[in-house]
Amino acid sequence: MDHHRSTARALAGAAALTLGGVLALTACSGSGTSSGDGSAGGGSIDVVTRWASGSPEAEAQKRVLDAFTTKTGITVNLTDGLENIDDQVENAVAAGKSPDLVIVNLYDKTLAWLDAGVTVAADDYLEEWGLADRMKEQALDEWRVGGSADGELQGLPFSGFSWPIWFNTKLLADAGVTEVPTTTDELVDAAGKLRAAGIQPLIVGGNDWTGQKLFYQIVQSFTDTDTMTGVMQEGGYCSTPSVLEGIELFTQLRDAGVFVDNVAGFTADDMYATYYAEKAAMMPAGSWAYAGAADAGTSVVEDTQLGGFPLPDGSVFDKPTAFQGFTGVGFMITASGAESDKIDDVRQLVQAFYEDESVGDFVKTASILPPVTGDFSASATNPLLAQSLGLDEVVDYAVLPDVWIGAASDPIIQVLTLAYGDASAQDICSGLDQATGA
């Protein structure tokens, strides 16, 4: 069965597994949790995680793992996957050293893992593990093949997010901008006033995934959802008038000085550091960045108003746009983890993450939007997270490209780095069509 709408992408993912274990993941036993008193259970689980050591998510993760091991006596052999987690896992599988569970985003290469046999469908586990009645349908649908309610479940979603535009109202006021811009004309005007006051306007990683997401947010301003998802998946950027109009809007904003100087050279880390230091007035960033803002040592949290990206005349949206979704980190069960001698241990570990206490800890520590029902408002102690819970009133949600562009993500970023430079709208759409394989 072809689990994805693009067979070529699925084959590309499978092909990656035939490269051999040349760069195979170091055996997944480098940083296991304490085995506790070993009074119950026993055995071990190999886990690769996207949550890097030192991050708020990793802190909450450690508390879950430690409590799990103390309760069950099962040791968790944990490996940080970091940015190249997909390559690490694929090489480990090819070398015969597959982990049992991968805590990872549903993004790029991971979209091909079900077809390639790296992971198994989670539909039966959803029911058997008592999670079906607790999970939000939106969260489940986003983790189903093709984003369809009848698609197979590729894993279990955990880390939901909001992804607004951040506006530093103090810097805007210093430049004489008294209201957060809601139209692109107001945005251009605000950027001009900020520059005149010696303040950089909107910071984004023009050289990575953050710039990619903002580009798509702007480009779909004139395009309905079905058309946009089709173009993301199959191409047709140049031949779809509304999409090309959106690309032209992007270049107009770029050329009007809306983005910071030399934006094509910036990364996500540069974006966060610059905005947290209150050296730029706007940025697009997800709820995972709320904790970092609170720890920045500046007044950035108090000065920030969350909202959406301003709209042009003729937009298909009624309100400024933001992203929201559940394709952040979730649990993908490998073929190894599904074996009869492993699956019950995997079950117990996954269930431990979905306990209310654990979910509440992640809400408080890492500002996730939980995929399960329940009232976690008391855990939303970060002011930005509390603010984001009311975003539905002021924004419309654009289509997040992750699931739709799939394995074309990296070549698309290469095209968009040029887009944040000085590439023309025609060159950009042509490059995107080529990157998509159209």
Side-chain angles (χ1 to χ4, degrees):
M1 178 187 297
D2 177 22
H3 295 284
H4 301 282
R5 295 186 183 183
S6 172
T7 303
R9 288 184 194 141
L11 293 175
L17 302 180
T18 68
L19 296 177
V22 178
L23 298 175
L25 183 67
T26 307
C28 301
S29 57
S31 56
T33 66
S34 166
S35 60
D37 60 15
S39 60
S44 64
I45 306 174
D46 294 333
V47 178
V48 181
T49 181
R50 179 65 178 78
W51 290 319
S53 296
S55 68
E57 294 88 350
E59 294 173 11
Q61 173 183 253
K62 185 177 186 302
R63 287 189 284 272
V64 174
L65 298 184
D66 287 349
F68 166 77
T69 295
T70 298
K71 177 180 179 181
T72 66
I74 301 169
T75 299
V76 178
N77 301 318
L78 187 68
T79 299
D80 283 354
L82 306 179
E83 291 290 345
N84 62 338
I85 186 172
D86 46 3
D87 291 331
Q88 286 180 300
V89 170
E90 289 181 359
N91 287 325
V93 171
K97 298 179 179 179
S98 173
D100 303 310
L101 183 70
V102 187
I103 303 175
V104 68
N105 302 67
L106 184 64
Y107 174 65
D108 199 2
K109 292 182 181 179
T110 64
L111 289 163
W113 283 0
L114 196 56
D115 271 333
V118 177
T119 57
V120 299
D123 300 83
D124 290 342
Y125 303 130
L126 180 71
E127 297 284 346
E128 293 170 5
W129 297 354
L131 297 172
D133 292 337
R134 296 191 63 210
M135 287 283 198
K136 298 175 182 176
E137 284 301 319
Q138 178 190 350
L140 290 174
D141 286 350
E142 289 185 17
W143 274 73
R144 294 188 183 281
V145 172
S148 171
D150 59 357
E152 286 186 288
L153 191 60
Q154 299 172 87
L156 298 170
F158 186 77
S159 179
F161 56 86
S162 58
W163 199 331
I165 306 296
W166 302 36
F167 298 92
N168 188 309
T169 55
K170 179 181 181 298
L171 293 182
L172 289 171
D174 288 347
V177 181
T178 58
E179 299 286 342
V180 164
T182 59
T183 70
T184 51
D185 287 343
E186 293 171 355
L187 177 63
V188 170
D189 180 68
K193 290 178 178 177
L194 287 162
R195 288 184 174 278
I199 302 168
Q200 288 289 299
L202 192 153
I203 177 80
V204 68
N207 196 28
D208 69 6
W209 53 274
T210 58
Q212 179 202 83
K213 302 303 183 294
L214 182 62
F215 174 86
Y216 276 100
Q217 193 171 345
I218 295 169
V219 164
Q220 60 186 282
S221 294
F222 304 105
T223 306
D224 66 86
T225 298
D226 289 343
T227 300
M228 193 70 232
T229 54
V231 170
M232 288 177 183
Q233 188 176 19
E234 305 294 345
Y237 291 88
C238 290
S239 60
T240 307
S242 61
V243 174
L244 184 56
E245 186 180 7
I247 295 174
E248 290 169 345
L249 171 65
F250 171 85
T251 62
Q252 291 163 8
L253 296 175
R254 177 199 67 194
D255 296 343
V258 165
F259 309 128
V260 298
D261 296 339
N262 304 313
V263 65
F266 284 102
T267 65
D269 288 342
D270 299 319
M271 178 183 76
Y272 298 136
T274 302
Y275 187 86
Y276 291 165
E278 303 198 88
K279 301 297 184 183
M282 296 170 278
M283 78 167 175
S287 48
W288 54 85
Y290 296 163
D295 294 337
T298 66
S299 61
V300 66
V301 171
E302 292 78 11
D303 295 336
T304 293
Q305 179 176 327
L306 302 177
F309 194 87
L311 297 181
D313 288 340
S315 175
V316 297
F317 297 100
D318 296 322
K319 295 178 286 190
T321 60
F323 289 129
Q324 182 188 68
F326 292 91
T327 54
V329 169
F331 304 103
M332 302 187 85
I333 302 154
T334 67
S336 174
E339 294 289 338
S340 59
D341 61 335
K342 286 286 187 179
I343 190 60
D344 193 58
D345 291 348
V346 171
R347 171 189 63 79
Q348 294 180 71
L349 178 56
V350 170
Q351 287 176 328
F353 275 94
Y354 286 104
E355 292 177 2
D356 282 352
E357 182 179 357
S358 299
V359 174
D361 189 7
F362 272 89
V363 171
K364 181 177 180 179
T365 304
S367 297
I368 72 162
L369 297 184
V372 293
T373 57
D375 183 7
F376 297 98
S377 58
S379 299
T381 56
N382 185 296
L384 291 173
L385 178 60
Q387 194 184 148
S388 75
L389 296 179
L391 276 175
D392 289 357
E393 301 298 319
V394 296
V395 303
D396 283 338
Y397 292 106
V399 178
L400 190 68
D402 293 4
V403 172
W404 305 104
I405 61 177
S409 178
D410 285 345
I412 284 175
I413 287 175
Q414 295 175 22
V415 173
L416 297 185
T417 298
L418 299 176
Y420 279 99
D422 58 5
S424 68
Q426 192 63 42
D427 287 341
I428 295 168
C429 73
S430 297
L432 292 173
D433 279 335
Q434 183 174 358
T436 309

